[in-house]
């Protein structure tokens, strides 16, 4: 362990009782994921944290962000070597003629292309030598599909084909109902066709925040997600947080898993993301419930992506990111080797984006 790693491990032990294997993460580099790498991955000795953070908000809902280069360094320190760089789906609107931060934001929230520009400009300015970055378009207002292609063209004019992902964008997010957001209706989903055709042609996945429902009506919004899946069967759709939200803290895991089971068998274009600590807080922290999900994820290992759902508002520190990576990785440690390799070590992510990387094989340890 070098000095840097031991400092991380020590601080981690002080800060988080459950923090695991951080000392081993420093051994992961982009070379670990080279197609020529023949070294196997030893799960007993190496980190069980995800190597791919496919859900990382480099821009906050309001105000300044942690600097880009710092976020990249933080990822490196915890052994995350692939990042999907998100802006944020909706930002609080600034009041006109108000300068500074305090009191300058209204309670209204709306999509903005500014944070995509900031991320791409920072990427061009700072680069990321040791971490692979995928830029994501978060500007898309799914209520106004006619605005999406012109804005995609704007980003392309400015940044070429740097943007290879769209999301996290909001189909329905109850947490923002009080801020002027409402669910996108079926008639509007039908009008997505032109931009969905371009995403399909360019093989750009669409990452949707789509609440499944709330504690009173757990499957309330499912018809909206299914409308998207039915209408656009050739688009790669990633379902954020498996539809779980703060408003859905108590769905019966069996109902949730059976619903996903049906969706996976009916819609081959659907994948799910395992990000956001509420999945752990509400569900996976109960060993029995975690066991149900582990079994389900193992059985559908090719359908899942890992991530932190970290939101980089400027008050955040390295240990905040470490904590999110730690908590969102806990379930990964219990997966079987195939699922761990596909999800935590990124094989699903590489296949989805056609990236020239390969997750290492898992070492087979035979007892003496
Ligand atoms: Zn998110």
């Amino acid at each position: 362990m070098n000095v840097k790693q031991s400092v991380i491990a020590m601080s981690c032990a002080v800060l988080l009782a459950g923090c695991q294997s951080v000392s081993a993460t420093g051994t992961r580099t982009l070379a670990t994921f080279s197609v020529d790498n023949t070294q196997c991955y030893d799960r007993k000795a190496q980190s069980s944290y995800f190597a791919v953070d496919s859900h990382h908000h480099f821009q906050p809902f309001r105000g300044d962000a942690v600097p880009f280069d710092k976020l990249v360094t933080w990822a490196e320190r915890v052994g995350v070597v692939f990042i999907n760089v998100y802006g944020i789906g909706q930002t609080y609107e600034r009041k006109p003629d108000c300068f500074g931060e305090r009191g300058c934001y209204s309670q209204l929230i709306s999509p903005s292309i500014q944070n995509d520009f900031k991320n791409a400009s920072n990427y061009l300015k700072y680069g990321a030598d040791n971490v692979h970055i995928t830029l994501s378009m978060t500007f898309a207002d799914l209520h106004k599909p006619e605005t999406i292609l012109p804005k995609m063209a704007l980003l392309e004019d400015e940044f070429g084909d740097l943007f290879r992902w769209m999301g996290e964008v909001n189909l329905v997010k109850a947490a923002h109902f009080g801020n002027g957001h409402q669910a996108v209706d079926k008639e509007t989903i039908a009008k997505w066709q032109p931009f969905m055709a371009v995403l399909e042609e360019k093989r750009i996945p669409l990452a949707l925040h789509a609440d499944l429902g709330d504690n009173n009506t757990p499957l309330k919004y499912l018809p909206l997600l299914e409308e998207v899946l039915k209408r656009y069967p050739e688009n790669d759709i990633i379902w954020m947080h498996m539809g779980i939200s703060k408003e859905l803290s108590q769905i019966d895991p069996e109902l949730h898993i059976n619903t996903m089971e049906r969706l996976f068998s009916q819609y081959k274009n659907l994948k799910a993301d395992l990000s956001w600590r509420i999945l752990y807080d509400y569900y996976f922290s109960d060993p029995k419930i975690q066991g149900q999900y582990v079994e389900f994820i193992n059985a559908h290992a090719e359908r899942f992506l890992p991530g932190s759902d970290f939101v980089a508002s400027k008050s955040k520190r390295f240990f905040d990111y470490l904590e999110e990576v730690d908590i969102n990785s806990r379930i990964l440690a219990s997966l079987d080797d195939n699922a761990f390799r596909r999800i935590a070590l990124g094989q699903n992510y590489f296949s989805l984006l056609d990236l020239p990387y390969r997750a290492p094989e898992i070492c087979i340890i035979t007892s003496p």
Side-chain angles (χ1 to χ4, degrees):
M1 193 188 294
N2 65 30
V3 176
K4 194 166 115 187
Q5 288 160 4
S6 66
V7 169
I8 295 173
M10 258 165 45
S11 320
C12 185
V14 171
L15 213 91
L16 294 164
C19 204
Q20 35 142 340
S21 307
V22 175
S23 60
T25 59
T27 59
R28 289 199 308 217
T29 66
L30 280 172
T32 312
F33 303 89
S34 153
V35 287
D36 302 321
N37 178 30
T38 52
Q39 267 188 340
C40 65
Y41 196 86
D42 182 350
R43 290 185 68 184
K44 285 210 160 59
Q46 292 181 269
S47 173
S48 55
Y49 288 171
F50 49 74
V52 173
D53 190 345
S54 75
H55 191 142
H56 189 327
H57 298 279
F58 272 43
Q59 300 295 328
F61 289 103
R62 61 159 81 85
D64 293 332
V66 176
F68 180 93
D69 48 340
K70 214 177 220 185
L71 290 170
V72 171
T73 310
W74 291 359
E76 257 181 81
R77 285 174 70 183
V78 295
V80 165
V81 283
F82 297 85
I83 312 175
N84 253 357
V85 172
Y86 287 5
I88 195 109
Q90 298 192 305
T91 48
Y92 285 93
E93 293 175 10
R94 279 189 80 89
K95 293 177 184 166
D97 302 325
C98 187
F99 299 98
E101 294 290 319
R102 248 171 212 280
C104 275
Y105 293 93
S106 74
Q107 283 309 302
L108 286 179
I109 205 159
S110 60
S112 160
I113 200 167
Q114 277 184 24
N115 52 58
D116 298 337
F117 267 90
K118 282 185 199 164
N119 284 340
S121 306
N122 285 335
Y123 177 51
L124 292 179
K125 185 172 171 191
Y126 296 107
D129 290 345
N130 303 319
V131 172
H132 180 279
I133 298 280
T134 297
L135 287 176
S136 183
M137 296 174 273
T138 36
F139 71 82
D141 185 342
L142 300 177
H143 287 281
K144 298 177 183 161
E146 71 285 357
T147 63
I148 294 177
L149 281 178
K151 286 184 177 166
M152 280 177 73
L154 197 67
L155 289 177
E156 199 171 323
D157 277 354
E158 199 70 28
F159 302 108
D161 63 355
L162 276 185
F163 287 88
R164 304 301 309 159
W165 192 277
M166 180 175 277
E168 170 185 26
V169 286
N170 296 325
L171 179 69
V172 46
K173 184 168 180 172
H176 288 327
F177 284 169
N179 308 109
H181 164 76
Q182 18 175 286
V184 181
D185 59 34
K186 288 187 179 180
E187 292 68 37
T188 308
I189 292 170
K191 294 180 189 154
W192 291 5
Q193 206 282 327
F195 85 83
M196 289 299 268
V198 174
L199 294 185
E200 183 194 328
E201 185 204 318
K202 292 178 182 276
R203 297 207 52 210
I204 294 178
L206 177 68
L208 285 179
H209 184 111
D211 288 353
L212 183 55
D214 56 36
N215 287 336
N216 292 327
T217 321
L219 305 184
K220 191 174 185 175
Y221 307 116
L222 180 59
L224 294 178
L225 178 68
E226 285 210 71
E227 184 69 15
V228 177
L229 296 169
K230 253 181 243 162
R231 280 198 177 268
Y232 307 106
E234 302 301 326
N235 284 81
D236 290 310
I237 309 285
I238 324 296
W239 191 21
M240 308 278 89
H241 327 300
M242 303 187 290
I244 297 298
S245 63
K246 285 188 178 165
E247 292 73 24
L248 188 57
S249 55
Q250 293 169 17
I251 188 173
D252 175 355
E254 209 166 300
L255 173 64
H256 187 216
I257 287 170
N258 287 344
T259 304
M260 283 196 288
E261 185 96 52
R262 178 179 69 74
L263 292 176
F264 281 161
S265 79
Q266 218 164 323
Y267 307 105
K268 301 298 172 206
N269 56 334
L270 177 65
K271 289 191 166 54
D273 118 319
L274 292 168
S275 76
W276 201 4
R277 64 171 298 155
I278 62 166
L279 298 181
Y280 179 82
D281 293 340
Y282 298 154
Y283 299 96
F284 305 157
S285 50
D286 176 330
K288 187 173 162 279
I289 295 178
Q290 176 174 295
Q292 290 172 268
Y293 280 95
V294 163
E295 195 182 318
F296 174 65
I297 296 168
N298 282 341
H300 300 277
E302 71 289 357
R303 299 297 193 107
F304 289 91
L305 294 170
S308 65
D309 202 14
F310 186 72
V311 178
S313 37
K314 74 172 176 194
S315 60
K316 299 275 183 75
R317 298 289 173 261
F318 168 67
F319 290 105
D320 297 314
Y321 183 61
L322 172 61
E323 185 174 4
E324 297 309 312
V325 173
D326 181 74
I327 285 177
N328 283 289
S329 289
R330 286 186 191 176
I331 192 166
L332 305 177
S334 303
L335 299 179
D336 67 23
D337 286 352
N338 171 55
F340 184 83
R341 178 176 176 272
R342 282 185 159 278
I343 302 166
L345 297 185
Q347 189 54 48
N348 288 344
Y349 182 74
F350 307 147
S351 304
L352 180 65
L353 287 176
D354 224 357
L355 295 181
Y357 291 95
R358 193 178 155 278
E361 299 297 333
I362 307 294
C363 304
I364 299 166
I365 316 282
T366 44
S367 32

